[in-house]
Amino acid sequence: MPYYSENHFAPLVLSKPNKKLTSLKVLGMDKKSLLRNIKHYYTHRLGRDSNCSTTHYPYMALSFAVRDRLMERWISTQHSYDEQNCRRTYYLSLEFLMGRSLGNAMLNLDIDATLREGLLELGLVLEEIAESEPDAGLGNGGLGRLAACFLDSCATLQLPVKGYGIRYQYGMFRQHIENGYQVEDPDHWLRDGNPWEVERQEFTQRVSFGGHTEYYKDALGLTRARWVDTRDVLAVPFDTPVPGFRNGTVNTLRLWQAAATDEFDLEEFNAGSYTEAVGSKNNAENITMVLYPNDSSENGKELRLKQQYFLASASLKDVLRKWKSLNGDRLDDFAAKNCFQLNDTHPTVAVAELMRLLLDEERMDWDSAWSITSATMAYTNHTLLPEALERWPVRLFRQLLPRLLDIIYEINARHLAQVATRWPGDTARQRRLSIIEEGPEPQVRMAYLAIIGSFSINGVAELHSKLLVEGLFRDFYELWPEKFNNKTNGVTQRRWLAHCNPQLKALLNDEIGDAWISDLKQIQRIAPLAGRAAFRQRWAKVKRDNKKRLADLVERECGVRFNPDALFDVQVKRIHEYKRQLLNVLHCIHLYARIKADDSDNWTPRCVLLAGKAAPGYAQAKLIVKLINNVAKVINNDPQVGDRLKMAFLPNYRVSAMEVICPGTDLSEQISTAGKEASGTGNMKFMMNGALTIGTLDGANIEIREEVGDEHFLLFGLTEEEIKVQRHDYQPDLIIARSRDLSRVMELLEKGQFNQFEPGIFDPLIAAIRSPDDPWMLAADFTSYVEAQQTAAERYLCQEEWIRSAILNCAHSGKFSTDRTMQDYNREIWRLDPIRPQPPA
Ligand code: D6G
């Protein structure tokens, strides 16, 4: 099998497969074997000696030793899948926000305690070494982290699921703050090498762009199409092992990197421009250079469409390659054995690409190709914001993917014929349901392509799925109600409790055993303990230690000292107007104003923490970051405020920061405008670690409240329906005038209290709050938010009651494990059998 490219020097191959070369002998999991390996890697592979003092090399040596233990399990898992020739699912996603791998691998292999102890014998502290690992930040936020949690749960449930994504050279930008403003720095996460991946050049694929379609008659006289004169790029896979929890299963995340073919631009080359010809290679390699840093919106960039097609095409070709290696060329059974889950509209060009591969390369007829495609594709929608539903100009498609556009037109024509049969003469409906949006610049609606081409379409929380079929996708729902379903999101308790909160893990294990780590429903067994004072005391001690750890992080990064006895009030997530960080700031200003007005009897000291990245081109969000920092500065430096209120913005929010933040949080802010946040997953991480939620009836907050009970959730704000009604006659100026508190807050903002030397900079935020068209309706929810915050503050003063609620939040978080989410996907969409790998000899 050629790899890299047809005209590359052919790789030399063994004359027959060699079985003796692979030894599947299990490496020791005991301290002695592990330490022997670590020392071996440190000296023999990395070439370091006692003069080397950085933590990086011990980290690398440790990672290699751990990785070795994954390898044999990885190989045997993949062999079991192949031997059983089982049905499989492929999770296609432009984002996988994996964070760090070391701690997770040690936990899942059950060698964390042994290694911690062993390293101490070498004079090393595990936590210090682990800090050397950069986050794999190949995602923006919730959607990308969800994909990572899904992979963890699939491996734990022993489901044959493979992730397919892109190996960006630069992940999510690093954020630092200068004079209160966000500044973006490139994240070259691969700079020091990545021990958690294996390059698999032998599975390299070719992906085409440009060119045009040519028609010809095949041997049977049938008209067929081929895509010619293309500019090709190679896709080289890098595999990352995804270990299950103590079960011998290791699944794969396969990330594609673009590489130039060895074909020089001949014209340039012959004209003597050798260096220019070589230089044009960069174009190809640019495709996987950088992750687009936009959450919930896209900007129609050509490179982004290239990334999407690159992922879809390389992954589908890889699946077909694998299929043929196990089953030969016949594809009759393909749909029975394969399923593609499309993570949002980003990879949905896969629908057209699979059709192309089946029609043009496998020479199938349209109906057979369509029956395979529409029985293997499943689409997950992640947002109700219309700007996030991707549309690509037809013009761009024609230029970049002309053959794909032909196919999309054909899919659309057949689809519209179906619509016309169902609703004869209803041309308005035909226009609404068309994949092509007409207008001066016609667009391809990617969500519609996905809906038409998929057998399953799901939202990510009950409310979200309901709103999808009532609003955005209503027409399609009328056409195919059976396709639509809900799959409420989750998070993996392995990372988000067992790994990130070791003290709480120990307490839980002590009381109820450790079954909850792979069956989170079991955690409800701590509910009765909430009534026991001795247990609450132990819980309080854990929480306080976690708050100290968080306070240290805040002090280190922000120079602000948080008192661990205060209420830790936290909002961390992407900065976006709909998430309403601005409402949180208004509340902080309100508390500040109260202190200044001497209205602080029975005060609950509060430390407010915010963190999150704003998309680099999203001016309003960046201004919110600036406002948070400016308000924090005024509050923290006012001696009259003292310990009653502290406020900080933690720069460069990322997975590993959340691992310290969520265990140390008392109050979780989930305050989006109702109907805007599809699900949320941060809300679940906080709940699992025993925070109370202050939130609107939005996304999964609704289900969180249902699970824990009204009295342990701080509810405020208009419902989605009330928002819809009030929107028509929304007069924020009037609301502000009628509220003494909000008037006072606006007055401080408007008189420039927080921007004394930068007059006018916050005017756009003020104007947004005062605008009758404010889509997020901040002013409408202000008063009830302040009331809920006041309730939180009062409840916190009664620590016994607060802790009881905190314990009950943790106890009722069982539903929000991705183990449950994956079981739901599997039962209703994927229908995979769990496969237990043969343990290596
Ligand atoms: C992973 C693990 C490795 C295995 C390979 C198979 O890299 O042991 O050989 O996957 O890849 P596929 O042939 O299943 O794509």
Side-chain angles (χ1 to χ4, degrees), residues 754-793:
F754 308 103
N755 51 319
Q756 291 196 357
F757 304 107
E758 299 164 292
I761 57 166
F762 295 129
D763 290 356
L765 297 180
I766 295 165
I769 298 169
R770 288 195 174 276
S771 163
D773 299 320
D774 172 20
W776 325 114
M777 298 179 66
L778 233 74
D781 277 348
F782 177 83
T783 301
S784 80
Y785 180 52
V786 169
E787 279 165 16
Q789 287 284 19
Q790 180 58 26
T791 310

mmCIF file of all heavy atoms in Angstrom, residues 754-793:
data_model
loop_
_atom_site.group_PDB
_atom_site.id
_atom_site.type_symbol
_atom_site.label_atom_id
_atom_site.label_comp_id
_atom_site.label_asym_id
_atom_site.label_seq_id
_atom_site.Cartn_x
_atom_site.Cartn_y
_atom_site.Cartn_z
ATOM 1 N N PHE A 754 -15.643 53.483 36.557
ATOM 2 C CA PHE A 754 -14.728 52.359 36.317
ATOM 3 C C PHE A 754 -13.799 52.590 35.127
ATOM 4 O O PHE A 754 -13.112 51.685 34.671
ATOM 5 C CB PHE A 754 -15.534 51.063 36.124
ATOM 6 C CG PHE A 754 -16.499 50.834 37.251
ATOM 7 C CD1 PHE A 754 -17.858 51.088 37.092
ATOM 8 C CD2 PHE A 754 -16.035 50.426 38.501
ATOM 9 C CE1 PHE A 754 -18.742 50.915 38.143
ATOM 10 C CE2 PHE A 754 -16.919 50.247 39.563
ATOM 11 C CZ PHE A 754 -18.272 50.498 39.385
ATOM 12 N N ASN A 755 -13.833 53.816 34.600
ATOM 13 C CA ASN A 755 -12.949 54.120 33.472
ATOM 14 C C ASN A 755 -12.538 55.582 33.508
ATOM 15 O O ASN A 755 -12.635 56.297 32.518
ATOM 16 C CB ASN A 755 -13.633 53.782 32.140
ATOM 17 C CG ASN A 755 -15.017 54.382 32.005
ATOM 18 O OD1 ASN A 755 -15.803 54.403 32.952
ATOM 19 N ND2 ASN A 755 -15.316 54.883 30.832
ATOM 20 N N GLN A 756 -12.076 55.975 34.704
ATOM 21 C CA GLN A 756 -11.811 57.399 34.906
ATOM 22 C C GLN A 756 -10.820 57.990 33.920
ATOM 23 O O GLN A 756 -10.942 59.136 33.541
ATOM 24 C CB GLN A 756 -11.335 57.611 36.343
ATOM 25 C CG GLN A 756 -12.480 57.363 37.311
ATOM 26 C CD GLN A 756 -12.222 57.906 38.695
ATOM 27 O OE1 GLN A 756 -11.160 58.431 38.973
ATOM 28 N NE2 GLN A 756 -13.205 57.784 39.566
ATOM 29 N N PHE A 757 -9.833 57.185 33.517
ATOM 30 C CA PHE A 757 -8.831 57.754 32.604
ATOM 31 C C PHE A 757 -9.067 57.330 31.160
ATOM 32 O O PHE A 757 -8.254 57.565 30.280
ATOM 33 C CB PHE A 757 -7.424 57.386 33.064
ATOM 34 C CG PHE A 757 -7.176 57.827 34.475
ATOM 35 C CD1 PHE A 757 -7.127 56.898 35.508
ATOM 36 C CD2 PHE A 757 -7.041 59.176 34.777
ATOM 37 C CE1 PHE A 757 -6.951 57.307 36.819
ATOM 38 C CE2 PHE A 757 -6.853 59.602 36.081
ATOM 39 C CZ PHE A 757 -6.809 58.659 37.122
ATOM 40 N N GLU A 758 -10.149 56.634 30.914
ATOM 41 C CA GLU A 758 -10.460 56.188 29.556
ATOM 42 C C GLU A 758 -11.915 56.526 29.248
ATOM 43 O O GLU A 758 -12.746 55.636 29.127
ATOM 44 C CB GLU A 758 -10.221 54.675 29.435
ATOM 45 C CG GLU A 758 -8.781 54.268 29.694
ATOM 46 C CD GLU A 758 -8.634 52.760 29.950
ATOM 47 O OE1 GLU A 758 -9.125 52.296 31.002
ATOM 48 O OE2 GLU A 758 -8.070 52.070 29.094
ATOM 49 N N PRO A 759 -12.225 57.811 29.135
ATOM 50 C CA PRO A 759 -13.628 58.217 29.031
ATOM 51 C C PRO A 759 -14.330 57.560 27.844
ATOM 52 O O PRO A 759 -13.768 57.405 26.774
ATOM 53 C CB PRO A 759 -13.553 59.740 28.847
ATOM 54 C CG PRO A 759 -12.131 60.056 28.538
ATOM 55 C CD PRO A 759 -11.291 58.951 29.087
ATOM 56 N N GLY A 760 -15.552 57.128 28.112
ATOM 57 C CA GLY A 760 -16.414 56.660 27.014
ATOM 58 C C GLY A 760 -16.210 55.219 26.582
ATOM 59 O O GLY A 760 -16.978 54.708 25.776
ATOM 60 N N ILE A 761 -15.165 54.550 27.108
ATOM 61 C CA ILE A 761 -14.896 53.222 26.527
ATOM 62 C C ILE A 761 -16.037 52.225 26.740
ATOM 63 O O ILE A 761 -16.189 51.311 25.947
ATOM 64 C CB ILE A 761 -13.570 52.584 27.017
ATOM 65 C CG1 ILE A 761 -13.540 52.471 28.542
ATOM 66 C CG2 ILE A 761 -12.356 53.307 26.481
ATOM 67 C CD1 ILE A 761 -12.416 51.549 29.023
ATOM 68 N N PHE A 762 -16.799 52.398 27.785
ATOM 69 C CA PHE A 762 -17.857 51.408 28.030
ATOM 70 C C PHE A 762 -19.206 51.802 27.433
ATOM 71 O O PHE A 762 -20.221 51.124 27.659
ATOM 72 C CB PHE A 762 -17.992 51.127 29.538
ATOM 73 C CG PHE A 762 -16.749 50.480 30.120
ATOM 74 C CD1 PHE A 762 -16.136 50.998 31.264
ATOM 75 C CD2 PHE A 762 -16.181 49.362 29.507
ATOM 76 C CE1 PHE A 762 -14.987 50.404 31.780
ATOM 77 C CE2 PHE A 762 -15.034 48.775 30.022
ATOM 78 C CZ PHE A 762 -14.428 49.292 31.162
ATOM 79 N N ASP A 763 -19.223 52.878 26.670
ATOM 80 C CA ASP A 763 -20.498 53.330 26.089
ATOM 81 C C ASP A 763 -21.228 52.237 25.303
ATOM 82 O O ASP A 763 -22.457 52.121 25.413
ATOM 83 C CB ASP A 763 -20.272 54.566 25.196
ATOM 84 C CG ASP A 763 -19.923 55.795 26.035
ATOM 85 O OD1 ASP A 763 -19.941 55.674 27.287
ATOM 86 O OD2 ASP A 763 -19.619 56.860 25.456
ATOM 87 N N PRO A 764 -20.500 51.418 24.510
ATOM 88 C CA PRO A 764 -21.236 50.378 23.766
ATOM 89 C C PRO A 764 -21.955 49.385 24.688
ATOM 90 O O PRO A 764 -23.031 48.882 24.344
ATOM 91 C CB PRO A 764 -20.140 49.658 22.966
ATOM 92 C CG PRO A 764 -19.016 50.650 22.857
ATOM 93 C CD PRO A 764 -19.070 51.458 24.126
ATOM 94 N N LEU A 765 -21.381 49.115 25.867
ATOM 95 C CA LEU A 765 -22.048 48.190 26.792
ATOM 96 C C LEU A 765 -23.272 48.856 27.401
ATOM 97 O O LEU A 765 -24.338 48.251 27.528
ATOM 98 C CB LEU A 765 -21.080 47.751 27.896
ATOM 99 C CG LEU A 765 -19.845 46.960 27.426
ATOM 100 C CD1 LEU A 765 -18.963 46.584 28.623
ATOM 101 C CD2 LEU A 765 -20.265 45.699 26.678
ATOM 102 N N ILE A 766 -23.108 50.130 27.758
ATOM 103 C CA ILE A 766 -24.235 50.874 28.340
ATOM 104 C C ILE A 766 -25.376 50.954 27.332
ATOM 105 O O ILE A 766 -26.536 50.711 27.654
ATOM 106 C CB ILE A 766 -23.766 52.283 28.768
ATOM 107 C CG1 ILE A 766 -22.733 52.153 29.899
ATOM 108 C CG2 ILE A 766 -24.943 53.155 29.178
ATOM 109 C CD1 ILE A 766 -21.927 53.410 30.183
ATOM 110 N N ALA A 767 -25.003 51.247 26.090
ATOM 111 C CA ALA A 767 -26.028 51.366 25.043
ATOM 112 C C ALA A 767 -26.752 50.031 24.853
ATOM 113 O O ALA A 767 -27.974 50.002 24.655
ATOM 114 C CB ALA A 767 -25.382 51.811 23.726
ATOM 115 N N ALA A 768 -25.995 48.940 24.934
ATOM 116 C CA ALA A 768 -26.628 47.622 24.744
ATOM 117 C C ALA A 768 -27.643 47.346 25.846
ATOM 118 O O ALA A 768 -28.737 46.848 25.589
ATOM 119 C CB ALA A 768 -25.554 46.533 24.723
ATOM 120 N N ILE A 769 -27.281 47.693 27.090
ATOM 121 C CA ILE A 769 -28.211 47.454 28.205
ATOM 122 C C ILE A 769 -29.477 48.289 28.026
ATOM 123 O O ILE A 769 -30.579 47.830 28.291
ATOM 124 C CB ILE A 769 -27.538 47.808 29.560
ATOM 125 C CG1 ILE A 769 -26.313 46.919 29.790
ATOM 126 C CG2 ILE A 769 -28.529 47.677 30.713
ATOM 127 C CD1 ILE A 769 -25.427 47.351 30.955
ATOM 128 N N ARG A 770 -29.300 49.496 27.531
ATOM 129 C CA ARG A 770 -30.442 50.413 27.422
ATOM 130 C C ARG A 770 -31.244 50.237 26.129
ATOM 131 O O ARG A 770 -32.281 50.872 25.951
ATOM 132 C CB ARG A 770 -29.956 51.860 27.514
ATOM 133 C CG ARG A 770 -29.509 52.271 28.917
ATOM 134 C CD ARG A 770 -29.390 53.776 29.014
ATOM 135 N NE ARG A 770 -29.095 54.235 30.373
ATOM 136 C CZ ARG A 770 -30.028 54.427 31.316
ATOM 137 N NH1 ARG A 770 -31.303 54.208 31.049
ATOM 138 N NH2 ARG A 770 -29.678 54.852 32.516
ATOM 139 N N SER A 771 -30.764 49.383 25.249
ATOM 140 C CA SER A 771 -31.448 49.257 23.965
ATOM 141 C C SER A 771 -32.711 48.402 24.066
ATOM 142 O O SER A 771 -32.677 47.290 24.590
ATOM 143 C CB SER A 771 -30.501 48.623 22.939
ATOM 144 O OG SER A 771 -31.252 48.151 21.848
ATOM 145 N N PRO A 772 -33.840 48.918 23.526
ATOM 146 C CA PRO A 772 -35.079 48.122 23.503
ATOM 147 C C PRO A 772 -34.894 46.850 22.663
ATOM 148 O O PRO A 772 -35.692 45.926 22.767
ATOM 149 C CB PRO A 772 -36.099 49.052 22.833
ATOM 150 C CG PRO A 772 -35.486 50.401 22.850
ATOM 151 C CD PRO A 772 -34.000 50.250 22.931
ATOM 152 N N ASP A 773 -33.859 46.811 21.853
ATOM 153 C CA ASP A 773 -33.604 45.619 21.036
ATOM 154 C C ASP A 773 -32.585 44.680 21.670
ATOM 155 O O ASP A 773 -32.142 43.739 21.015
ATOM 156 C CB ASP A 773 -33.085 46.030 19.646
ATOM 157 C CG ASP A 773 -34.084 46.864 18.906
ATOM 158 O OD1 ASP A 773 -35.288 46.542 19.008
ATOM 159 O OD2 ASP A 773 -33.686 47.853 18.251
ATOM 160 N N ASP A 774 -32.200 44.951 22.916
ATOM 161 C CA ASP A 774 -31.203 44.081 23.559
ATOM 162 C C ASP A 774 -31.702 42.633 23.524
ATOM 163 O O ASP A 774 -32.628 42.272 24.254
ATOM 164 C CB ASP A 774 -30.976 44.527 25.015
ATOM 165 C CG ASP A 774 -30.096 43.536 25.785
ATOM 166 O OD1 ASP A 774 -29.374 42.742 25.126
ATOM 167 O OD2 ASP A 774 -30.125 43.547 27.039
ATOM 168 N N PRO A 775 -31.078 41.782 22.716
ATOM 169 C CA PRO A 775 -31.596 40.422 22.582
ATOM 170 C C PRO A 775 -31.466 39.628 23.884
ATOM 171 O O PRO A 775 -32.148 38.628 24.066
ATOM 172 C CB PRO A 775 -30.705 39.785 21.505
ATOM 173 C CG PRO A 775 -29.764 40.837 21.023
ATOM 174 C CD PRO A 775 -29.848 42.015 21.940
ATOM 175 N N TRP A 776 -30.577 40.060 24.761
ATOM 176 C CA TRP A 776 -30.294 39.263 25.969
ATOM 177 C C TRP A 776 -31.088 39.750 27.161
ATOM 178 O O TRP A 776 -31.084 39.139 28.222
ATOM 179 C CB TRP A 776 -28.784 39.282 26.250
ATOM 180 C CG TRP A 776 -28.017 39.293 24.961
ATOM 181 C CD1 TRP A 776 -27.222 40.293 24.473
ATOM 182 C CD2 TRP A 776 -28.009 38.281 23.948
ATOM 183 N NE1 TRP A 776 -26.735 39.959 23.232
ATOM 184 C CE2 TRP A 776 -27.196 38.733 22.885
ATOM 185 C CE3 TRP A 776 -28.630 37.030 23.824
ATOM 186 C CZ2 TRP A 776 -26.978 37.986 21.724
ATOM 187 C CZ3 TRP A 776 -28.415 36.283 22.676
ATOM 188 C CH2 TRP A 776 -27.602 36.761 21.645
ATOM 189 N N MET A 777 -31.768 40.867 27.011
ATOM 190 C CA MET A 777 -32.712 41.398 27.999
ATOM 191 C C MET A 777 -32.172 41.401 29.428
ATOM 192 O O MET A 777 -32.786 40.890 30.364
ATOM 193 C CB MET A 777 -34.028 40.638 27.878
ATOM 194 C CG MET A 777 -34.626 40.868 26.497
ATOM 195 S SD MET A 777 -36.166 40.011 26.166
ATOM 196 C CE MET A 777 -37.289 40.787 27.284
ATOM 197 N N LEU A 778 -31.015 42.006 29.553
ATOM 198 C CA LEU A 778 -30.322 42.073 30.832
ATOM 199 C C LEU A 778 -31.144 42.767 31.909
ATOM 200 O O LEU A 778 -31.303 42.259 33.019
ATOM 201 C CB LEU A 778 -29.026 42.882 30.610
ATOM 202 C CG LEU A 778 -27.756 42.231 31.055
ATOM 203 C CD1 LEU A 778 -27.400 41.137 30.070
ATOM 204 C CD2 LEU A 778 -26.655 43.270 31.121
ATOM 205 N N ALA A 779 -31.646 43.948 31.549
ATOM 206 C CA ALA A 779 -32.358 44.755 32.549
ATOM 207 C C ALA A 779 -33.579 44.005 33.066
ATOM 208 O O ALA A 779 -33.929 44.097 34.248
ATOM 209 C CB ALA A 779 -32.757 46.099 31.941
ATOM 210 N N ALA A 780 -34.206 43.220 32.188
ATOM 211 C CA ALA A 780 -35.433 42.520 32.580
ATOM 212 C C ALA A 780 -35.175 41.535 33.719
ATOM 213 O O ALA A 780 -36.049 41.295 34.549
ATOM 214 C CB ALA A 780 -36.021 41.793 31.381
ATOM 215 N N ASP A 781 -33.991 40.954 33.755
ATOM 216 C CA ASP A 781 -33.704 39.929 34.771
ATOM 217 C C ASP A 781 -32.913 40.457 35.964
ATOM 218 O O ASP A 781 -32.645 39.708 36.903
ATOM 219 C CB ASP A 781 -32.928 38.763 34.130
ATOM 220 C CG ASP A 781 -33.855 37.765 33.440
ATOM 221 O OD1 ASP A 781 -35.081 37.855 33.647
ATOM 222 O OD2 ASP A 781 -33.355 36.900 32.699
ATOM 223 N N PHE A 782 -32.529 41.727 35.923
ATOM 224 C CA PHE A 782 -31.631 42.238 36.966
ATOM 225 C C PHE A 782 -32.204 42.064 38.370
ATOM 226 O O PHE A 782 -31.557 41.523 39.269
ATOM 227 C CB PHE A 782 -31.279 43.707 36.702
ATOM 228 C CG PHE A 782 -30.421 44.317 37.780
ATOM 229 C CD1 PHE A 782 -29.045 44.137 37.777
ATOM 230 C CD2 PHE A 782 -30.984 45.046 38.823
ATOM 231 C CE1 PHE A 782 -28.241 44.675 38.787
ATOM 232 C CE2 PHE A 782 -30.190 45.590 39.840
ATOM 233 C CZ PHE A 782 -28.825 45.401 39.813
ATOM 234 N N THR A 783 -33.415 42.516 38.582
ATOM 235 C CA THR A 783 -33.970 42.521 39.934
ATOM 236 C C THR A 783 -34.105 41.107 40.494
ATOM 237 O O THR A 783 -33.717 40.836 41.637
ATOM 238 C CB THR A 783 -35.323 43.263 39.965
ATOM 239 O OG1 THR A 783 -35.070 44.593 39.518
ATOM 240 C CG2 THR A 783 -35.916 43.297 41.356
ATOM 241 N N SER A 784 -34.609 40.205 39.682
ATOM 242 C CA SER A 784 -34.778 38.858 40.242
ATOM 243 C C SER A 784 -33.417 38.189 40.447
ATOM 244 O O SER A 784 -33.252 37.369 41.352
ATOM 245 C CB SER A 784 -35.727 38.014 39.386
ATOM 246 O OG SER A 784 -35.097 37.492 38.273
ATOM 247 N N TYR A 785 -32.431 38.568 39.633
ATOM 248 C CA TYR A 785 -31.071 38.053 39.847
ATOM 249 C C TYR A 785 -30.516 38.535 41.189
ATOM 250 O O TYR A 785 -29.984 37.754 41.987
ATOM 251 C CB TYR A 785 -30.186 38.517 38.692
ATOM 252 C CG TYR A 785 -28.734 38.075 38.746
ATOM 253 C CD1 TYR A 785 -28.386 36.732 38.922
ATOM 254 C CD2 TYR A 785 -27.702 39.007 38.592
ATOM 255 C CE1 TYR A 785 -27.051 36.336 38.942
ATOM 256 C CE2 TYR A 785 -26.366 38.612 38.608
ATOM 257 C CZ TYR A 785 -26.040 37.281 38.784
ATOM 258 O OH TYR A 785 -24.728 36.895 38.797
ATOM 259 N N VAL A 786 -30.675 39.829 41.446
ATOM 260 C CA VAL A 786 -30.167 40.387 42.710
ATOM 261 C C VAL A 786 -30.864 39.724 43.904
ATOM 262 O O VAL A 786 -30.225 39.401 44.912
ATOM 263 C CB VAL A 786 -30.347 41.925 42.724
ATOM 264 C CG1 VAL A 786 -30.091 42.494 44.110
ATOM 265 C CG2 VAL A 786 -29.410 42.567 41.698
ATOM 266 N N GLU A 787 -32.141 39.468 43.753
ATOM 267 C CA GLU A 787 -32.871 38.802 44.851
ATOM 268 C C GLU A 787 -32.331 37.391 45.091
ATOM 269 O O GLU A 787 -32.120 36.990 46.239
ATOM 270 C CB GLU A 787 -34.373 38.733 44.535
ATOM 271 C CG GLU A 787 -35.095 40.039 44.854
ATOM 272 C CD GLU A 787 -36.483 40.102 44.211
ATOM 273 O OE1 GLU A 787 -37.009 39.038 43.777
ATOM 274 O OE2 GLU A 787 -37.027 41.227 44.139
ATOM 275 N N ALA A 788 -32.109 36.659 43.992
ATOM 276 C CA ALA A 788 -31.590 35.290 44.146
ATOM 277 C C ALA A 788 -30.190 35.328 44.764
ATOM 278 O O ALA A 788 -29.839 34.473 45.592
ATOM 279 C CB ALA A 788 -31.559 34.582 42.796
ATOM 280 N N GLN A 789 -29.397 36.313 44.384
ATOM 281 C CA GLN A 789 -28.062 36.458 44.965
ATOM 282 C C GLN A 789 -28.153 36.758 46.460
ATOM 283 O O GLN A 789 -27.341 36.275 47.250
ATOM 284 C CB GLN A 789 -27.286 37.597 44.264
ATOM 285 C CG GLN A 789 -26.808 37.252 42.859
ATOM 286 C CD GLN A 789 -25.600 36.334 42.853
ATOM 287 O OE1 GLN A 789 -25.300 35.658 43.850
ATOM 288 N NE2 GLN A 789 -24.895 36.280 41.738
ATOM 289 N N GLN A 790 -29.158 37.556 46.819
ATOM 290 C CA GLN A 790 -29.347 37.887 48.226
ATOM 291 C C GLN A 790 -29.731 36.625 49.015
ATOM 292 O O GLN A 790 -29.218 36.373 50.105
ATOM 293 C CB GLN A 790 -30.435 38.980 48.346
ATOM 294 C CG GLN A 790 -30.738 39.436 49.771
ATOM 295 C CD GLN A 790 -29.492 39.978 50.504
ATOM 296 O OE1 GLN A 790 -28.537 40.463 49.865
ATOM 297 N NE2 GLN A 790 -29.472 39.862 51.834
ATOM 298 N N THR A 791 -30.594 35.812 48.416
ATOM 299 C CA THR A 791 -30.964 34.544 49.054
ATOM 300 C C THR A 791 -29.719 33.672 49.237
ATOM 301 O O THR A 791 -29.514 33.058 50.295
ATOM 302 C CB THR A 791 -31.989 33.783 48.179
ATOM 303 O OG1 THR A 791 -33.026 34.677 47.838
ATOM 304 C CG2 THR A 791 -32.550 32.575 48.895
ATOM 305 N N ALA A 792 -28.891 33.610 48.200
ATOM 306 C CA ALA A 792 -27.662 32.809 48.288
ATOM 307 C C ALA A 792 -26.815 33.302 49.455
ATOM 308 O O ALA A 792 -26.324 32.507 50.259
ATOM 309 C CB ALA A 792 -26.878 32.897 46.978
ATOM 310 N N ALA A 793 -26.656 34.619 49.538
ATOM 311 C CA ALA A 793 -25.812 35.195 50.584
ATOM 312 C C ALA A 793 -26.361 34.848 51.974
ATOM 313 O O ALA A 793 -25.600 34.459 52.875
ATOM 314 C CB ALA A 793 -25.728 36.709 50.401
#
